[in-house]
Amino acid sequence: MIRLHDTLAREKRDFVPADPRRITMYVCGPTVYGRAHIGNARPAVVFDTLARLVRHEFGEDSLVYARNVTDVDDKIIAAAEAEGVDPSVITERFERFYLEDMRALGVRDPDIAPHATQEIAPMVALIVRLIERGNAYEAEGHVLFSVTSDPDYGVLSRRDRDAMIAGARVEVAPYKRDPADFVLWKPSAEGVIGWDSPWGRGRPGWHVECSAMIAAHLGETIDIHGGGLDLIFPHHENEIAQSRCAHGGAPLARYWVHNGFVDMGAEKMSKSLGNIVTPEELLKSHRGETLRLALLSAHYRQPLPWTEALVAQAKATLDGLYRRAGEAEGGEVDCGVLDALRDDLNTPLALSRLAQLDGGSLRASSNLLGLMQSSAEEWFQGEGDVSDIEMRIAERAEAKKNRDFAAADRIRDELKAEGIVLEDGPGGTTWRRE
Ligand SMILES: [Zn+2]
């Protein structure tokens, strides 16, 4: 039996899906206007691991996992305007990067990846229904959800009204009946991406996108809804209100699962704070599996401080696992690892259990966590090269320090001839294979 901490119930509950032959899970996906950072990768890795566990327990075909792509948004519009291109140029580019980065971390693509721009009709239909039921109203080309029409609003985040208004950082707009009301539809100016609707040409708000796509692809009530802690309020609170009001009170999800932040120093890693590291940069000098293990090394609900030492430790752990597993195959997943994962995805406990295993059982148990996807030979291949490359980078740094630029350039050219490209940055020199 899997047990999951349910944010709505504030406790761990036995996971009993409505239909074990068709378990439904939805995770809020990326808004595609820039490169993902390692904090963005955490939910992707956590819910990929949960998906692997659910499939192990209920059968490979038991789960339908949907993760949306937000491809219409003010930040996307701003990025497109800055480059002078169509928004689709921005969204296609950064969706491709996102998928490449996540695949490198061993994250399997979801079964369904609905795109907001492809699902405008179900969003409009949901908004129409909310207006009919008295839960939404039109004002100056906008449609707003009326929070006072829903007595259960706030059930997930359990915030009081003032905290909700402050937390949502809502605009106090003259057309709002209540400052906490949120946008379902907004007008698009001439030349800005938009669709015709009963309220004029415009585009959907972010929250309504998830409610509409969940209903269209998975059903009115799903088993698991996931995302980062920062989405509890306002995003998930608003999803719950929209879906429940549109669907005659049917709950949106039976289990709400939220992962904690990746921290840099004392702060949450976030684009707005400018303290991010991206999988793109990290993958130049680390393997995806190393980063995946680092992300799984803390319990998913706990904060995860991201440090170089964490990554080095993850690499050393994987070296040890590959050495002990050797080329063994065909083992069974260890009961201790399984019990740890079944208990609210306790990956630190599962990893410490791996340290006691070897051979086929170690490999099968690691595979369940999305780890040890290579052979030992592949894993250790090129290790000698890496220390050699780093030694030559150090020699080059020394040469530069001594103002022997001819020697420094020679080392760089030699490495280039071997397909190793050096990049000098403020934090030193990194390298990647061409
Ligand atoms: Zn969402």
Side-chain angles (χ1 to χ4, degrees), residues 92-173:
E92 281 165 22
R93 178 197 306 155
F94 288 106
E95 182 183 356
R96 193 175 68 244
F97 285 149
Y98 180 82
L99 289 174
E100 283 170 11
D101 290 345
M102 296 311 126
R103 286 172 191 152
L105 302 185
V107 175
R108 293 173 175 165
D109 292 355
D111 302 297
I112 307 173
H115 289 62
T117 55
Q118 308 302 313
E119 316 250 345
I120 301 298
M123 294 185 215
V124 168
L126 190 128
I127 297 170
V128 166
R129 205 194 275 202
L130 288 171
I131 294 174
E132 282 168 3
R133 297 191 175 201
N135 297 111
Y137 59 94
E138 186 187 355
E140 296 180 27
H142 295 70
V143 181
L144 294 127
F145 186 91
S146 165
V147 296
T148 52
S149 75
D150 176 13
D152 289 331
Y153 188 78
V155 67
L156 182 70
S157 57
R158 295 190 193 170
R159 295 193 182 203
D160 67 37
R161 234 187 93 78
D162 291 344
M164 282 196 286
I165 293 168
R169 274 167 280 164
V170 284
E171 273 178 274
V172 181

Side-chain angles (χ1 to χ4, degrees), residues 4-331:
L4 289 175
H5 183 272
D6 175 12
T7 310
L8 191 60
R10 303 294 196 277
E11 64 180 14
K12 271 196 247 181
R13 296 169 53 217
D14 291 347
F15 176 63
V16 185
D19 177 1
R21 291 158 308 171
R22 187 178 182 273
I23 300 168
T24 47
M25 178 163 89
Y26 183 91
V27 175
C28 299
T31 301
V32 279
Y33 69 99
R35 289 300 292 228
H37 58 70
I38 199 76
N40 304 137
R42 193 176 189 192
V45 167
V46 163
F47 290 101
D48 176 72
T49 308
L50 180 57
R52 288 169 189 264
L53 176 67
V54 168
R55 292 194 157 109
H56 181 270
E57 300 289 275
F58 292 90
E60 200 51 42
D61 300 324
S62 62
L63 178 70
V64 189
Y65 174 17
R67 187 183 65 204
N68 67 311
V69 178
T70 298
D71 58 354
V72 54
D73 171 270
D74 289 351
K75 289 180 183 134
I76 294 170
I77 294 168
E81 275 172 7
E83 272 192 40
V85 294
D86 192 76
S88 64
V89 174
I90 301 289
T91 58
E92 281 165 22
R93 178 197 306 155
F94 288 106
E95 182 183 356
R96 193 175 68 244
F97 285 149
Y98 180 82
L99 289 174
E100 283 170 11
D101 290 345
M102 296 311 126
R103 286 172 191 152
L105 302 185
V107 175
R108 293 173 175 165
D109 292 355
D111 302 297
I112 307 173
H115 289 62
T117 55
Q118 308 302 313
E119 316 250 345
I120 301 298
M123 294 185 215
V124 168
L126 190 128
I127 297 170
V128 166
R129 205 194 275 202
L130 288 171
I131 294 174
E132 282 168 3
R133 297 191 175 201
N135 297 111
Y137 59 94
E138 186 187 355
E140 296 180 27
H142 295 70
V143 181
L144 294 127
F145 186 91
S146 165
V147 296
T148 52
S149 75
D150 176 13
D152 289 331
Y153 188 78
V155 67
L156 182 70
S157 57
R158 295 190 193 170
R159 295 193 182 203
D160 67 37
R161 234 187 93 78
D162 291 344
M164 282 196 286
I165 293 168
R169 274 167 280 164
V170 284
E171 273 178 274
V172 181
Y175 49 79
K176 283 186 183 179
R177 288 184 195 162
D178 186 288
D181 292 351
F182 59 89
V183 168
L184 300 171
W185 187 266
K186 60 176 154 189
S188 286
E190 188 69 36
V192 173
I193 186 169
W195 292 264
D196 290 330
S197 81
W199 320 287
R201 194 173 160 281
R203 57 189 191 274
W206 173 39
H207 314 303
V208 77
E209 165 187 337
C210 290
S211 283
M213 298 199 294
I214 289 170
H217 292 277
L218 299 179
E220 291 186 357
T221 301
I222 59 172
D223 288 307
I224 301 170
H225 194 316
L229 212 55
D230 50 339
L231 298 186
I232 293 176
F233 188 85
H235 184 55
H236 289 166
E237 196 72 79
N238 294 353
E239 281 188 28
I240 288 178
Q242 294 161 162
S243 295
R244 198 181 351 80
C245 291
H247 301 139
L252 175 54
R254 304 172 67 245
Y255 298 85
W256 284 88
V257 181
H258 291 99
N259 66 274
F261 299 134
V262 172
D263 292 336
M264 281 295 259
E267 283 173 322
K268 167 194 168 191
M269 187 182 293
S270 86
K271 212 168 255 180
S272 56
L273 293 171
N275 60 356
I276 60 169
V277 277
T278 62
E280 180 199 12
E281 290 163 47
L282 291 162
L283 286 164
K284 287 176 188 170
S285 34
H286 305 286
R287 281 177 233 222
E289 243 176 55
T290 304
L291 305 178
R292 182 181 180 98
L293 190 142
L295 285 168
L296 292 175
S297 63
H299 187 262
Y300 76 89
R301 286 196 288 123
Q302 298 301 317
L304 173 65
W306 191 264
T307 61
E308 275 180 35
L310 173 77
V311 181
Q313 180 58 52
K315 169 70 168 68
T317 302
L318 276 165
D319 284 349
L321 297 183
Y322 273 104
R323 234 174 264 126
R324 285 207 318 284
E327 300 301 341
E329 271 175 57

